[in-house]
Structures are given as C-alpha cells and as structure tokens.
Amino acid sequence: MEKLKKGFYTALGTPLDKNGDLIADSLVKEINMQIEAGASGLLLMGSMGIEATIKNTAYKETVRVAADAVAGRVPLFVGAMDNSVERVKERIDMIKEYNFDGVVLTTPFYGTAPDDQLIRFFERVADYSPKPLFLYDLAVVTKQKITYPMLEKLAKHPNIAGIKSGDIVLARQVKLNMPDFEFLFSNIDIFDVALSYGIDKVLDGMFSATPKNAEKFIKAAWDGNMADCSKYLDNILKLRDFWIVNGPLMFAFTQAMNLLGMDGIYCNDYTYVAENPELKAAVEGCMKKIGEL
C-alpha cells in the first residue's frame, strides 16, 4: 500500500443498540464527521470500538457499513484481535470481501507467550491475510510488549507494514532504523513532544468525540504553532481525564457521542445499565468548555 499520510487517525467508537446490534446511521455519521474534520485515516474495531466484546454478526456488519461509508476517501483499518491464529483467520474470512486497507492485531490477550511464539503468531496471520498487517502494541491490556528486537524480525515480512504504539523509545528506534515501516503513535499525552522526533502520525480514540479540537490541534502542529497545538491537545486530554474521574470511561464516552448526535451504546453491555442524566449533563458541560458543543 502507499505510504500513509501524516496527521491524526481516529479509532472509531462502535454504536450498538441494547441487543448488541450496530446502529448504522450513527456509525456513518461518525465516519463522515471525522473525515470532514480532516482525519488522515480511521481504525475500526480497536480498543475504543470494543472489538473484543462485539458479537460476530455485528462485527461483520460494522465492517461492511464502514467500508461503504468510507468509500476509499481515507485508509480504513480493521482490528481483528483474538487469542489464536485460527480465530483471527476466521475474523479475516468474515470481512475479506469488503474494501478496507489493513488488519490491526495486538498480541493474544488471554495468556502470555515468549517472543518467538508471538513472532510466529503475527507471521502466520500475515501469511494468511489478504490485507497488510499492522501491529498494535497494547501491553497495558495484553500484558505482552512488542519490542524492538521483535520488530526487527517482523518488519522483514512482506505483509507486515507498521505498528501502532505509544512507546516513545520504540518510536524513535523505528524512525531512525526502519524509515519505511509505518509508525502510528498512540500516546497523545506527549504527541506535541513526539513531533520533535519526526513522528507525524497519531492514532487515538479520543478524536471520535473531539473532532473540532482534533482538526485545530493537527493544523497548529503542521503550522509550527506549538502553543495552539498544545492548547487543543490539552482540551482533548481534559475531556478524557473528566471521563476517567466521572465514568466509567466508556460509559462517559457513550454520553459524549450521544451529545454529538450519534445514538447508541459505545461501551460493554455489562457497563451500560441505564440512562444517567446527571453524568450526561456533566459531560455536556465539559464538552462546551473545550468547544466541541
């Protein structure tokens, strides 16, 4: 595939009804909102999209709807995280007919394994996948780190194209030694600092609920206006931190997406119990302060 453009990449939320089925209109609106805000690409079924909890019928339908809505306007990546090569292959088989640009994969997250087995896991999936494979370094969840020595081996595979990680040291190593290997930085807390390392692609789920700030933040970065870049980035982080304190985070994210006009439940089914008008009003107040509403 072509070299990815610099900019912000949004990990999309997945709007579901109370039966766990996709609310297609909300997903299409979310996609269009992000593209209009200038997103350079989209990740479907990442952590913000609660991929690991989505039922199979909704998983396939979500990819179909997203692929049709994106229609090639920006790259679309799809998470296929699971705990064995065969289970990942089944996910790929469910969606391979649709128009998307890459498969995104964490290490298995149920157990742990040594590096050589993790390398084998990724290589076997890459051998099978009709789309390029992008690694997703998420050790805080999977308990298994994708290290630079692993990348040195994995990057040699012709169908492994890049990695999403918030590890600034790993980012620097890849930028210096693997210039053709895509690096999508996921630690937005320090992206304004990471720019000095030449890191020019940032991927995060917070952009789903902050398209206005995301657009201004990335424009300021490319204009070299670091004061404004940091200002709009801080706005995004203020909303995230508010969710963490007043959440649960993904339930608060649901309130934010609903306020932006996208109906649905964006959190695990056991997290969502009932409407919470007080939390929704508090989230609304925070979003107004940062200029999203």
Side-chain angles (χ1 to χ4, degrees):
M1 64 182 297
E2 295 181 1
K3 189 75 174 173
L4 297 179
K5 294 180 180 179
K6 68 180 185 178
F8 75 91
Y9 288 68
T10 303
L12 299 166
T14 307
L16 304 173
D17 64 20
K18 292 182 179 179
N19 296 315
D21 294 315
L22 177 72
I23 301 177
D25 290 348
S26 290
L27 180 61
V28 172
K29 184 173 183 178
E30 182 182 6
I31 287 168
N32 288 333
M33 186 178 290
Q34 290 299 318
I35 293 175
E36 289 166 7
S40 294
L42 303 172
L43 168 61
L44 189 72
M45 292 291 166
S47 300
M48 210 67 169
I50 56 173
E51 181 265 359
T53 73
I54 300 289
K55 62 184 184 181
N56 287 343
T57 51
Y59 178 80
K60 181 174 182 177
E61 178 67 1
T62 301
V63 178
R64 183 192 69 78
V65 169
D68 287 347
V70 173
R73 289 179 289 169
V74 296
L76 174 65
F77 306 98
V78 178
M81 287 71 78
D82 219 311
N83 288 301
S84 71
V85 173
E86 293 304 317
R87 285 178 65 88
V88 174
K89 287 164 65 175
E90 283 190 343
R91 286 187 178 273
I92 292 171
D93 286 343
M94 278 192 277
I95 62 174
K96 63 184 179 183
E97 64 187 281
Y98 304 126
N99 183 28
F100 64 98
D101 299 278
V103 171
V104 177
L105 204 61
T106 64
T107 60
F109 45 84
Y110 189 80
T112 58
D115 288 2
D116 62 325
Q117 293 180 21
L118 296 177
I119 289 170
R120 189 180 309 134
F121 171 77
F122 287 125
E123 288 180 337
R124 287 184 179 178
V125 173
D127 287 342
Y128 184 80
S129 176
K131 305 289 186 179
L133 181 63
F134 288 78
L135 312 177
Y136 184 176
D137 181 31
L138 192 63
V140 67
V141 172
T142 68
K143 311 304 180 187
Q144 302 184 100
K145 183 84 177 70
I146 299 175
T147 65
Y148 183 72
M150 290 172 64
L151 280 186
E152 285 184 304
K153 296 178 181 179
L154 289 168
K156 295 176 183 177
H157 193 290
N159 202 34
I160 298 178
I163 185 171
K164 172 187 184 290
S165 175
D167 185 336
I168 188 68
V169 176
L170 184 64
R172 181 177 180 275
Q173 290 173 305
V174 170
K175 292 295 291 185
L176 288 174
N177 301 308
M178 302 179 188
D180 295 326
F181 197 70
E182 297 284 5
F183 198 101
L184 293 108
F185 194 62
S186 60
N187 186 352
I188 60 169
D189 297 67
I190 59 169
F191 182 68
D192 46 355
V193 176
L195 284 166
S196 63
Y197 288 104
I199 297 166
D200 58 6
K201 304 175 189 73
V202 57
L203 195 162
D204 198 89
M206 283 304 304
F207 302 136
S208 287
T210 58
K212 292 180 181 178
N213 278 278
E215 182 176 14
K216 293 173 182 176
F217 142 75
I218 208 69
K219 182 181 185 301
W222 304 150
D223 289 345
N225 184 346
M226 296 313 299
D228 277 357
C229 176
S230 297
K231 170 187 170 183
Y232 294 118
L233 177 56
D234 283 344
N235 282 345
I236 295 169
L237 297 176
K238 284 175 186 175
L239 183 61
R240 181 203 62 191
D241 293 344
F242 182 88
W243 293 351
I244 291 171
V245 172
N246 296 278
L249 185 147
M250 295 301 288
F251 184 58
F253 173 52
T254 296
Q255 311 307 305
M257 297 302 282
N258 295 166
L259 286 162
L260 288 171
M262 289 160 280
D263 293 334
I265 297 168
Y266 290 77
C267 55
N268 297 336
D269 50 15
Y270 53 83
T271 302
Y272 188 91
V273 179
E275 296 289 340
N276 187 329
E278 290 184 2
L279 176 59
K280 191 169 186 177
V283 172
E284 182 177 13
C286 185
M287 293 178 74
K288 285 180 176 178
K289 284 181 180 179
I290 67 170
E292 285 297 336
L293 293 174

